Amino acid sequence: MSKIKQPNSRHCFICGLENPIGLHLHFYETEPGVVETIYTAPDHFQGYPGVLHGGIVAAILDETSGRAFMGSADAPRFMFTGKLEVKYRKNVPVGKPLKIVGKAIKDRKKFVEAWAGIYDESGELLAEANAIHINVPQGKLDMSQLDELGWKVYPD
């Protein structure tokens, strides 16, 4: 399967392309239920010299795990996080490319179980998370407003 680019939004902290302080990540579905991105964190997201702040690590893992269940650009599945359990295995560096992977684990209709991991250039797992994401209740998000959110696939 070739990579399928997922949509971005305008203002999301993780994927919002117009967010001046955001991460601007682009996600690609590499197979059903698996998403990937590459990210090099800038120095201004460090917790202490050379190390990505743990809160930013958690935010990346949160978004990536949920994206594993996102689905298609024209009928996305929006969810919010019910539980995020992060394991910080090693320091996640700033200034070096990171491979970030999300995997769908189990779909329970109203909520899902997912996993995400951050790897260094050598393939070593630096941080990972197990997550539960809950469907946004019907009527809470007007799907006809996706254009206003800037929710679309942008060219690379």
Side-chain angles (χ1 to χ4, degrees):
M1 174 181 171
S2 61
K3 291 182 180 183
I4 299 170
K5 189 170 187 187
Q6 289 192 331
N8 283 71
S9 73
R10 286 196 175 105
H11 302 294
C12 171
F13 176 66
I14 301 295
C15 78
L17 298 180
E18 296 175 24
N19 186 329
I21 61 166
L23 278 59
H24 308 147
L25 295 186
H26 298 267
F27 290 92
Y28 299 85
E29 186 177 48
T30 56
E31 60 185 274
V34 179
V35 295
E36 292 183 5
T37 190
I38 302 294
Y39 179 61
T40 302
D43 287 343
H44 63 263
F45 286 137
Q46 66 188 342
Y48 55 92
V51 178
L52 187 60
H53 188 281
I56 303 294
V57 169
I60 291 169
L61 293 168
D62 177 25
E63 178 82 8
T64 306
S65 62
R67 288 248 178 189
F69 281 98
M70 180 70 56
S72 69
D74 54 343
R77 183 176 184 179
F78 290 106
M79 294 172 280
F80 60 88
T81 305
K83 181 178 179 183
L84 184 70
E85 180 183 33
V86 179
K87 293 179 187 166
Y88 300 92
R89 299 189 172 281
K90 299 235 173 156
N91 288 339
V92 178
V94 296
K96 295 185 178 177
L98 303 168
K99 181 179 180 181
I100 304 159
V101 178
K103 294 182 180 178
I105 303 297
K106 190 160 192 166
D107 189 342
R108 300 184 179 270
K109 302 291 182 216
K110 291 185 179 184
F111 70 94
V112 300
E113 297 173 29
W115 176 91
I118 299 176
Y119 298 87
D120 67 11
E121 293 175 283
S122 71
E124 184 172 13
L125 182 63
L126 304 176
E128 64 181 315
N130 290 300
I132 294 175
H133 298 282
I134 302 161
N135 293 342
V136 171
Q138 207 166 13
K140 290 284 185 189
L141 179 64
D142 184 351
M143 297 298 270
S144 71
Q145 292 186 325
L146 294 181
D147 281 344
E148 288 97 70
L149 294 172
W151 187 257
K152 64 181 180 180
V153 176
Y154 293 84
D156 284 330

